[in-house]
Amino acid sequence: MKRRDVLALGGGAAAAIGIGAALTLRSTASMADYDALARQEREAVSPPASARDLVRLASLAPNSHNTQPWRFEISEGRIAIRPDFARRTPAVDPDDHHLFVSLGAAAETLSIAAAATGLPGTLRFEESDGAILFDFAAGLPVASQLFNAIAQRQSTRAPFDGMPLTPELIQRLVEAAAIPGVRLIMLTAPAKIAAVGERIIDANTIQMTNAAFRAELKHWIRFSPDQAIETRDGLFAASSGNPTLPPLLGNLLFDLVVRAGSENERYRAQLATTPCLAIIVSERDDRAHWVAAGQACQRLLLQATALGLKQSFVNQAVEVPEIRPLLAADLGVATGERPDLIIRLGYGPELPRSLRRPAAAVINEG
Ligand SMILES: Cc1cc2nc3c(=O)[nH]c(=O)nc-3n(C[C@H](O)[C@H](O)[C@H](O)COP(=O)(O)O)c2cc1C
Protein backbone atom coordinates (compact mmCIF):
# COMPACT_ATOMS: atom_id res chain seq x y z
CA MET A 1 0.00 0.00 0.00
CA LYS A 2 1.37 3.40 -0.90
CA ARG A 3 1.20 6.30 1.53
CA ARG A 4 -0.54 9.44 0.40
CA ASP A 5 1.03 12.87 0.22
CA VAL A 6 -0.59 14.99 2.88
CA LEU A 7 -1.47 18.47 1.76
CA ALA A 8 -2.20 21.19 4.26
CA LEU A 9 -3.68 23.94 2.15
CA GLY A 10 -4.17 27.36 3.66
CA GLY A 11 -6.42 28.53 0.86
CA GLY A 12 -6.01 30.96 -2.00
CA ALA A 13 -3.84 30.77 -5.06
CA ALA A 14 -0.89 32.69 -3.63
CA ALA A 15 -0.72 30.42 -0.62
CA ALA A 16 -1.01 27.41 -2.89
CA ILE A 17 1.99 28.38 -5.00
CA GLY A 18 4.25 28.81 -1.98
CA ILE A 19 3.11 25.55 -0.66
CA GLY A 20 6.23 23.41 -0.48
CA ALA A 21 6.75 23.97 3.23
CA ALA A 22 3.14 23.12 4.02
CA LEU A 23 3.42 19.67 2.49
CA THR A 24 4.37 16.51 4.24
CA LEU A 25 6.68 15.11 1.60
CA ARG A 26 7.44 11.47 2.16
CA SER A 27 8.23 10.41 -1.35
CA THR A 28 9.18 6.76 -1.24
CA ALA A 29 10.61 6.55 -4.78
CA SER A 30 13.48 8.61 -6.14
CA MET A 31 14.39 9.40 -9.73
CA ALA A 32 17.07 6.73 -9.40
CA ASP A 33 14.36 4.15 -8.59
CA TYR A 34 12.34 5.42 -11.52
CA ASP A 35 15.27 5.23 -13.96
CA ALA A 36 16.15 1.71 -12.77
CA LEU A 37 12.62 0.53 -13.55
CA ALA A 38 12.66 2.25 -16.97
CA ARG A 39 15.96 0.47 -17.74
CA GLN A 40 14.61 -2.88 -16.58
CA GLU A 41 11.59 -2.50 -18.90
CA ARG A 42 14.03 -1.95 -21.78
CA GLU A 43 16.40 -4.86 -21.10
CA ALA A 44 17.82 -6.36 -24.28
CA VAL A 45 16.27 -9.54 -25.69
CA SER A 46 18.34 -12.03 -27.63
CA PRO A 47 17.13 -15.09 -29.51
CA PRO A 48 15.23 -17.16 -28.69
CA ALA A 49 12.69 -14.62 -27.43
CA SER A 50 9.70 -15.68 -25.38
CA ALA A 51 6.24 -14.38 -26.29
CA ARG A 52 6.36 -12.42 -23.03
CA ASP A 53 9.64 -10.74 -24.13
CA LEU A 54 7.97 -9.77 -27.40
CA VAL A 55 4.97 -8.29 -25.58
CA ARG A 56 7.32 -6.27 -23.35
CA LEU A 57 9.09 -4.83 -26.40
CA ALA A 58 5.81 -4.18 -28.26
CA SER A 59 4.58 -2.23 -25.23
CA LEU A 60 7.48 0.21 -25.65
CA ALA A 61 5.70 1.58 -28.74
CA PRO A 62 4.55 5.19 -28.68
CA ASN A 63 0.91 5.47 -27.68
CA SER A 64 -1.46 8.32 -27.06
CA HIS A 65 -1.25 9.73 -23.47
CA ASN A 66 0.69 6.52 -22.63
CA THR A 67 -2.61 4.82 -21.81
CA GLN A 68 -1.29 1.59 -23.37
CA PRO A 69 -4.73 0.73 -24.80
CA TRP A 70 -3.93 -2.88 -25.64
CA ARG A 71 -4.37 -6.47 -24.55
CA PHE A 72 -2.27 -9.34 -25.91
CA GLU A 73 -3.46 -12.91 -26.42
CA ILE A 74 -0.84 -15.59 -26.98
CA SER A 75 -1.56 -18.90 -28.70
CA GLU A 76 0.43 -21.37 -30.80
CA GLY A 77 2.07 -19.40 -33.65
CA ARG A 78 -0.07 -16.31 -33.02
CA ILE A 79 -0.13 -13.19 -30.89
CA ALA A 80 -3.36 -11.17 -31.10
CA ILE A 81 -3.28 -7.48 -30.11
CA ARG A 82 -6.73 -6.32 -29.07
CA PRO A 83 -8.01 -2.81 -28.30
CA ASP A 84 -8.61 -2.08 -24.61
CA PHE A 85 -11.50 0.34 -24.82
CA ALA A 86 -11.39 0.85 -21.05
CA ARG A 87 -8.29 2.94 -21.81
CA ARG A 88 -9.75 5.18 -24.46
CA THR A 89 -9.44 8.96 -24.20
CA PRO A 90 -12.74 10.31 -25.50
CA ALA A 91 -11.97 14.01 -25.06
CA VAL A 92 -8.83 14.11 -27.21
CA ASP A 93 -9.71 11.09 -29.35
CA PRO A 94 -13.50 10.76 -29.72
CA ASP A 95 -13.39 8.37 -32.71
CA ASP A 96 -10.58 6.16 -31.27
CA HIS A 97 -8.26 7.17 -34.11
CA HIS A 98 -5.26 7.53 -31.78
CA LEU A 99 -6.16 4.27 -30.04
CA PHE A 100 -5.91 2.34 -33.33
CA VAL A 101 -2.74 4.24 -34.36
CA SER A 102 -1.24 3.14 -31.01
CA LEU A 103 -2.23 -0.48 -31.69
CA GLY A 104 -0.61 -0.25 -35.13
CA ALA A 105 2.61 1.07 -33.59
CA ALA A 106 2.65 -1.76 -31.04
CA ALA A 107 1.94 -4.37 -33.71
CA GLU A 108 4.74 -3.10 -35.94
CA THR A 109 7.12 -3.14 -32.97
CA LEU A 110 6.10 -6.72 -32.20
CA SER A 111 6.70 -7.75 -35.80
CA ILE A 112 10.15 -6.07 -35.94
CA ALA A 113 11.18 -7.61 -32.60
CA ALA A 114 9.95 -11.06 -33.60
CA ALA A 115 11.82 -11.00 -36.92
CA ALA A 116 15.03 -9.95 -35.17
CA THR A 117 14.75 -12.74 -32.62
CA GLY A 118 13.94 -15.58 -35.00
CA LEU A 119 10.13 -15.54 -35.12
CA PRO A 120 9.27 -13.73 -38.38
CA GLY A 121 5.61 -13.34 -39.21
CA THR A 122 2.86 -11.27 -40.78
CA LEU A 123 0.33 -8.77 -39.44
CA ARG A 124 -3.35 -8.73 -40.35
CA PHE A 125 -6.08 -6.33 -39.18
CA GLU A 126 -9.43 -7.90 -38.30
CA GLU A 127 -12.21 -5.48 -39.21
CA SER A 128 -14.80 -7.40 -37.15
CA ASP A 129 -13.31 -6.82 -33.69
CA GLY A 130 -10.45 -4.39 -34.29
CA ALA A 131 -7.75 -6.93 -33.38
CA ILE A 132 -4.39 -7.17 -35.12
CA LEU A 133 -3.19 -10.74 -35.58
CA PHE A 134 0.51 -11.54 -35.75
CA ASP A 135 1.07 -15.03 -37.19
CA PHE A 136 4.64 -16.26 -36.85
CA ALA A 137 6.87 -19.29 -37.29
CA ALA A 138 10.44 -20.12 -36.34
CA GLY A 139 13.06 -18.68 -38.71
CA LEU A 140 16.54 -17.25 -38.70
CA PRO A 141 17.02 -14.11 -36.59
CA VAL A 142 17.66 -11.07 -38.81
CA ALA A 143 19.56 -8.22 -37.16
CA SER A 144 18.02 -4.82 -37.81
CA GLN A 145 18.65 -1.19 -36.94
CA LEU A 146 14.96 -0.72 -36.24
CA PHE A 147 15.03 -3.53 -33.67
CA ASN A 148 18.03 -2.02 -31.90
CA ALA A 149 16.22 1.32 -31.69
CA ILE A 150 13.06 0.00 -29.94
CA ALA A 151 14.42 0.55 -26.43
CA GLN A 152 16.18 3.79 -27.36
CA ARG A 153 13.24 5.64 -28.91
CA GLN A 154 11.49 8.22 -26.79
CA SER A 155 9.24 11.24 -27.20
CA THR A 156 11.40 14.30 -26.55
CA ARG A 157 9.15 17.24 -25.69
CA ALA A 158 11.93 19.81 -25.57
CA PRO A 159 13.42 22.39 -27.92
CA PHE A 160 15.88 20.88 -30.42
CA ASP A 161 19.23 22.40 -31.40
CA GLY A 162 17.93 23.52 -34.80
CA MET A 163 20.52 21.59 -36.83
CA PRO A 164 19.00 20.67 -40.23
CA LEU A 165 18.45 17.14 -41.53
CA THR A 166 20.34 16.29 -44.71
CA PRO A 167 18.28 15.31 -47.81
CA GLU A 168 19.88 11.82 -47.71
CA LEU A 169 18.75 11.34 -44.14
CA ILE A 170 15.20 12.48 -44.97
CA GLN A 171 15.18 10.02 -47.86
CA ARG A 172 16.11 7.17 -45.50
CA LEU A 173 13.28 8.13 -43.16
CA VAL A 174 10.76 8.18 -46.01
CA GLU A 175 11.92 4.77 -47.22
CA ALA A 176 11.77 3.25 -43.73
CA ALA A 177 8.21 4.51 -43.20
CA ALA A 178 6.81 3.16 -46.49
CA ILE A 179 3.61 1.24 -45.68
CA PRO A 180 0.77 0.71 -48.19
CA GLY A 181 -2.19 3.06 -47.67
CA VAL A 182 -0.14 5.74 -45.91
CA ARG A 183 1.99 8.60 -47.17
CA LEU A 184 4.43 10.95 -45.55
CA ILE A 185 4.77 14.70 -46.02
CA MET A 186 8.17 16.00 -44.90
CA LEU A 187 8.35 19.77 -44.33
CA THR A 188 11.74 21.43 -43.96
CA ALA A 189 11.10 24.98 -45.23
CA PRO A 190 10.83 27.29 -42.18
CA ALA A 191 7.81 29.13 -43.64
CA LYS A 192 5.89 25.87 -44.12
CA ILE A 193 6.78 24.64 -40.64
CA ALA A 194 5.67 28.00 -39.24
CA ALA A 195 2.32 27.80 -41.10
CA VAL A 196 1.57 24.35 -39.68
CA GLY A 197 2.82 25.68 -36.35
CA GLU A 198 0.09 28.34 -36.36
CA ARG A 199 -2.56 25.63 -36.87
CA ILE A 200 -1.01 23.71 -33.96
CA ILE A 201 -1.14 26.79 -31.73
CA ASP A 202 -4.77 27.53 -32.68
CA ALA A 203 -5.74 23.93 -31.95
CA ASN A 204 -3.80 23.94 -28.68
CA THR A 205 -5.69 27.05 -27.60
CA ILE A 206 -8.99 25.27 -28.25
CA GLN A 207 -7.88 22.18 -26.32
CA MET A 208 -6.41 24.03 -23.35
CA THR A 209 -9.62 26.01 -22.88
CA ASN A 210 -11.80 22.89 -23.06
CA ALA A 211 -12.68 21.59 -19.59
CA ALA A 212 -13.14 17.95 -20.69
CA PHE A 213 -9.79 17.94 -22.51
CA ARG A 214 -8.01 19.44 -19.51
CA ALA A 215 -9.60 16.99 -17.06
CA GLU A 216 -8.63 14.02 -19.22
CA LEU A 217 -5.07 15.27 -19.69
CA LYS A 218 -4.67 15.88 -15.95
CA HIS A 219 -6.03 12.41 -15.21
CA TRP A 220 -3.20 10.87 -17.25
CA ILE A 221 -0.36 13.03 -15.89
CA ARG A 222 1.93 11.35 -13.36
CA PHE A 223 3.41 14.15 -11.29
CA SER A 224 5.88 12.20 -9.10
CA PRO A 225 8.15 9.15 -9.52
CA ASP A 226 5.97 7.41 -6.90
CA GLN A 227 2.81 8.00 -8.84
CA ALA A 228 4.40 6.92 -12.14
CA ILE A 229 5.87 3.74 -10.62
CA GLU A 230 2.52 2.89 -9.05
CA THR A 231 0.59 2.93 -12.33
CA ARG A 232 3.41 2.47 -14.90
CA ASP A 233 1.34 4.35 -17.45
CA GLY A 234 0.43 7.97 -18.20
CA LEU A 235 2.49 11.05 -18.91
CA PHE A 236 5.34 11.43 -16.42
CA ALA A 237 6.01 15.13 -15.77
CA ALA A 238 9.80 14.79 -16.11
CA SER A 239 9.40 13.08 -19.50
CA SER A 240 7.89 16.34 -20.74
CA GLY A 241 10.70 18.42 -19.25
CA ASN A 242 8.58 19.51 -16.26
CA PRO A 243 9.53 19.38 -12.57
CA THR A 244 8.21 16.45 -10.54
CA LEU A 245 5.80 17.33 -7.73
CA PRO A 246 3.71 15.59 -5.10
CA PRO A 247 0.50 14.67 -6.97
CA LEU A 248 -1.78 16.86 -4.88
CA LEU A 249 0.37 19.88 -5.57
CA GLY A 250 0.77 18.91 -9.22
CA ASN A 251 -2.99 18.72 -9.67
CA LEU A 252 -3.46 22.06 -8.00
CA LEU A 253 -0.77 23.80 -10.02
CA PHE A 254 -2.11 22.27 -13.22
CA ASP A 255 -5.42 24.00 -12.54
CA LEU A 256 -3.78 27.26 -11.53
CA VAL A 257 -0.90 27.77 -13.96
CA VAL A 258 -1.23 25.51 -16.99
CA ARG A 259 -2.99 27.79 -19.45
CA ALA A 260 -3.29 28.03 -23.23
CA GLY A 261 -0.88 31.01 -23.24
CA SER A 262 1.89 29.27 -21.30
CA GLU A 263 1.53 26.05 -23.29
CA ASN A 264 1.53 27.94 -26.58
CA GLU A 265 4.84 29.54 -25.59
CA ARG A 266 6.33 26.09 -24.97
CA TYR A 267 5.15 24.88 -28.37
CA ARG A 268 6.39 28.01 -30.13
CA ALA A 269 9.86 27.37 -28.66
CA GLN A 270 9.74 23.74 -29.76
CA LEU A 271 8.56 24.58 -33.28
CA ALA A 272 11.08 27.40 -33.74
CA THR A 273 13.92 24.88 -33.23
CA THR A 274 12.38 22.12 -35.36
CA PRO A 275 14.18 21.50 -38.68
CA CYS A 276 11.67 18.95 -39.98
CA LEU A 277 7.97 18.24 -39.47
CA ALA A 278 6.73 14.84 -40.63
CA ILE A 279 3.02 14.58 -41.33
CA ILE A 280 1.55 11.11 -41.74
CA VAL A 281 -1.52 10.97 -44.00
CA SER A 282 -3.66 7.88 -44.56
CA GLU A 283 -5.41 7.32 -47.89
CA ARG A 284 -8.71 6.47 -46.22
CA ASP A 285 -10.23 7.48 -42.92
CA ASP A 286 -10.97 4.11 -41.31
CA ARG A 287 -9.58 1.83 -38.60
CA ALA A 288 -7.49 -0.31 -40.96
CA HIS A 289 -5.74 2.80 -42.26
CA TRP A 290 -5.26 4.24 -38.77
CA VAL A 291 -3.48 0.98 -37.84
CA ALA A 292 -1.34 1.34 -40.97
CA ALA A 293 -0.56 4.95 -39.97
CA GLY A 294 0.64 3.64 -36.58
CA GLN A 295 2.87 1.10 -38.31
CA ALA A 296 4.37 3.77 -40.59
CA CYS A 297 4.80 6.10 -37.63
CA GLN A 298 6.75 3.57 -35.58
CA ARG A 299 8.98 2.66 -38.55
CA LEU A 300 9.71 6.36 -39.08
CA LEU A 301 10.47 6.92 -35.39
CA LEU A 302 12.70 3.85 -35.05
CA GLN A 303 14.66 4.79 -38.16
CA ALA A 304 14.98 8.36 -36.86
CA THR A 305 16.23 7.04 -33.51
CA ALA A 306 18.73 4.75 -35.24
CA LEU A 307 20.07 7.82 -37.07
CA GLY A 308 20.54 9.77 -33.84
CA LEU A 309 17.43 11.95 -34.17
CA LYS A 310 14.91 12.82 -31.48
CA GLN A 311 11.19 13.25 -32.03
CA SER A 312 7.98 14.43 -30.45
CA PHE A 313 4.35 14.55 -31.50
CA VAL A 314 2.58 17.90 -31.92
CA ASN A 315 -0.79 16.50 -32.91
CA GLN A 316 -3.15 19.25 -31.82
CA ALA A 317 -3.97 20.32 -35.40
CA VAL A 318 -5.00 16.80 -36.41
CA GLU A 319 -6.94 16.24 -33.18
CA VAL A 320 -9.25 19.26 -33.12
CA PRO A 321 -12.11 18.61 -35.57
CA GLU A 322 -12.48 22.31 -36.52
CA ILE A 323 -8.77 22.66 -37.34
CA ARG A 324 -8.07 19.34 -39.10
CA PRO A 325 -9.80 20.32 -42.41
CA LEU A 326 -7.92 23.64 -42.44
CA LEU A 327 -4.62 21.83 -42.04
CA ALA A 328 -5.64 19.32 -44.72
CA ALA A 329 -6.39 22.16 -47.15
CA ASP A 330 -3.05 23.88 -46.37
CA LEU A 331 -1.21 20.64 -47.14
CA GLY A 332 -3.21 19.69 -50.23
CA VAL A 333 -4.57 16.58 -48.54
CA ALA A 334 -7.38 15.16 -50.71
CA THR A 335 -10.97 14.67 -49.60
CA GLY A 336 -11.26 11.20 -48.08
CA GLU A 337 -7.65 11.17 -46.88
CA ARG A 338 -6.88 11.88 -43.23
CA PRO A 339 -3.90 13.71 -41.78
CA ASP A 340 -3.13 11.37 -38.87
CA LEU A 341 -0.07 12.58 -37.02
CA ILE A 342 2.33 15.52 -36.86
CA ILE A 343 5.83 14.73 -35.63
CA ARG A 344 8.80 17.01 -34.93
CA LEU A 345 12.17 15.58 -35.92
CA GLY A 346 15.56 17.02 -34.98
CA TYR A 347 18.56 16.75 -32.71
CA GLY A 348 17.93 17.27 -29.01
CA PRO A 349 18.48 16.22 -25.42
CA GLU A 350 17.61 12.97 -23.71
CA LEU A 351 14.75 13.14 -21.18
CA PRO A 352 13.64 10.60 -18.56
CA ARG A 353 11.94 7.67 -20.29
CA SER A 354 8.30 6.85 -19.77
CA LEU A 355 7.20 3.66 -18.04
CA ARG A 356 5.11 0.73 -19.27
CA ARG A 357 2.95 -1.79 -17.45
CA PRO A 358 4.62 -5.22 -17.22
CA ALA A 359 3.81 -7.86 -19.83
CA ALA A 360 1.85 -9.90 -17.26
CA ALA A 361 -0.57 -6.99 -16.80
CA VAL A 362 -1.45 -6.79 -20.51
CA ILE A 363 -1.61 -10.48 -21.46
CA ASN A 364 -5.06 -12.11 -21.38
CA GLU A 365 -4.93 -15.40 -19.56
CA GLY A 366 -6.51 -18.55 -20.93
C1 LIG B 1 -1.43 8.36 -31.74
C2 LIG B 1 -0.48 9.10 -30.84
C3 LIG B 1 -0.74 10.42 -30.51
C4 LIG B 1 0.14 11.12 -29.69
N1 LIG B 1 -0.08 12.46 -29.45
C5 LIG B 1 0.82 13.17 -28.73
C6 LIG B 1 0.70 14.58 -28.61
O1 LIG B 1 -0.18 15.21 -29.19
N2 LIG B 1 1.62 15.24 -27.85
C7 LIG B 1 2.64 14.59 -27.24
O2 LIG B 1 3.44 15.23 -26.58
N3 LIG B 1 2.80 13.25 -27.38
C8 LIG B 1 1.92 12.54 -28.12
N4 LIG B 1 2.10 11.20 -28.30
C9 LIG B 1 3.26 10.54 -27.67
C10 LIG B 1 2.85 9.77 -26.43
O3 LIG B 1 2.45 10.63 -25.40
C11 LIG B 1 4.04 8.90 -26.01
O4 LIG B 1 4.30 7.97 -27.02
C12 LIG B 1 3.78 8.17 -24.70
O5 LIG B 1 3.64 9.08 -23.64
C13 LIG B 1 4.92 7.21 -24.37
O6 LIG B 1 6.14 7.88 -24.31
P1 LIG B 1 7.37 7.53 -25.25
O7 LIG B 1 6.96 7.86 -26.66
O8 LIG B 1 8.49 8.41 -24.77
O9 LIG B 1 7.67 6.08 -25.10
C14 LIG B 1 1.27 10.47 -29.14
C15 LIG B 1 1.52 9.15 -29.48
C16 LIG B 1 0.66 8.46 -30.33
C17 LIG B 1 0.98 7.04 -30.73
Side-chain angles (χ1 to χ4, degrees):
M1 203 33 132
K2 287 266 171 197
R3 56 104 205 107
R4 296 264 172 258
D5 296 308
V6 180
L7 179 60
L9 263 183
I17 292 191
I19 212 161
L23 288 164
T24 304
L25 297 175
R26 285 179 295 143
S27 193
T28 51
S30 65
M31 270 312 290
D33 298 326
Y34 178 95
D35 287 334
L37 182 56
R39 268 197 306 279
Q40 182 192 316
E41 293 175 359
R42 289 164 174 78
E43 261 166 21
V45 173
S46 37
S50 66
R52 197 165 274 228
D53 285 333
L54 295 179
V55 168
R56 173 167 63 82
L57 292 180
S59 297
L60 294 176
N63 66 95
S64 182
H65 279 18
N66 199 19
T67 67
Q68 304 161 39
W70 44 58
R71 305 287 313 173
F72 294 83
E73 252 168 47
I74 299 166
S75 54
E76 190 62 37
R78 172 174 288 179
I79 299 177
I81 306 168
R82 300 192 180 281
D84 182 351
F85 290 113
R87 291 180 165 262
R88 61 193 297 271
T89 49
V92 67
D93 188 29
D95 59 2
D96 293 327
H97 167 276
H98 280 4
L99 188 151
F100 281 96
V101 169
S102 302
L103 291 187
E108 188 63 26
T109 314
L110 180 72
S111 173
I112 291 168
T117 53
L119 296 171
T122 53
L123 292 169
R124 186 172 85 244
F125 179 66
E126 285 287 290
E127 202 63 61
S128 55
D129 59 0
I132 308 171
L133 305 182
F134 178 62
D135 289 320
F136 62 90
L140 285 179
V142 180
S144 82
Q145 277 194 340
L146 300 193
F147 172 63
N148 295 336
I150 291 172
Q152 293 304 316
R153 186 208 58 79
Q154 70 168 168
S155 297
T156 304
R157 303 178 190 89
F160 293 153
D161 68 7
M163 194 160 89
L165 278 56
T166 63
E168 297 75 33
L169 193 145
I170 290 176
Q171 184 57 29
R172 287 187 65 183
L173 297 175
V174 171
E175 283 166 12
I179 288 275
V182 178
R183 69 189 176 93
L184 199 53
I185 300 174
M186 300 292 264
L187 301 181
T188 53
K192 291 198 169 168
I193 292 176
V196 174
E198 284 312 307
R199 298 292 187 204
I200 293 169
I201 298 294
D202 289 349
N204 193 54
T205 303
I206 292 172
Q207 289 182 327
M208 293 308 295
T209 50
N210 177 302
F213 175 90
R214 289 178 65 94
E216 183 178 87
L217 177 61
K218 190 169 76 167
H219 173 76
W220 285 103
I221 294 178
R222 306 291 174 250
F223 291 100
S224 69
D226 265 359
Q227 196 188 15
I229 289 172
E230 192 169 323
T231 64
R232 294 172 71 168
D233 62 11
L235 301 161
F236 181 43
S239 301
S240 298
N242 290 317
T244 59
L245 294 166
L248 283 173
L249 180 56
N251 277 296
L252 188 71
L253 289 184
F254 181 92
D255 291 339
L256 291 174
V257 291
V258 178
R259 293 271 173 269
S262 58
E263 286 299 286
N264 286 346
E265 284 319 302
R266 277 162 58 90
Y267 284 110
R268 281 189 201 286
Q270 291 182 15
L271 289 159
T273 56
T274 296
C276 179
L277 273 187
I279 297 153
I280 295 182
V281 178
S282 47
E283 279 171 11
R284 307 247 303 261
D285 192 10
D286 58 29
R287 288 177 167 189
H289 284 78
W290 303 342
V291 166
Q295 293 179 255
C297 165
Q298 177 65 331
R299 296 186 64 82
L300 170 75
L301 300 183
L302 292 177
Q303 182 63 76
T305 302
L307 294 168
L309 291 164
K310 295 284 194 286
Q311 100 266 327
S312 76
F313 293 80
V314 276
N315 278 326
Q316 292 90 334
V318 295
E319 291 167 348
V320 174
E322 306 93 289
I323 302 289
R324 193 163 61 238
L326 304 178
L327 176 80
D330 293 345
L331 296 171
V333 168
T335 310
E337 290 188 318
R338 175 161 179 161
D340 296 287
L341 301 163
I342 311 175
I343 298 163
R344 302 164 62 228
L345 293 166
Y347 299 92
E350 179 126 344
L351 294 181
R353 287 164 190 285
S354 59
L355 297 183
R356 297 296 191 275
R357 291 176 296 154
V362 294
I363 294 176
N364 286 348
E365 295 305 334

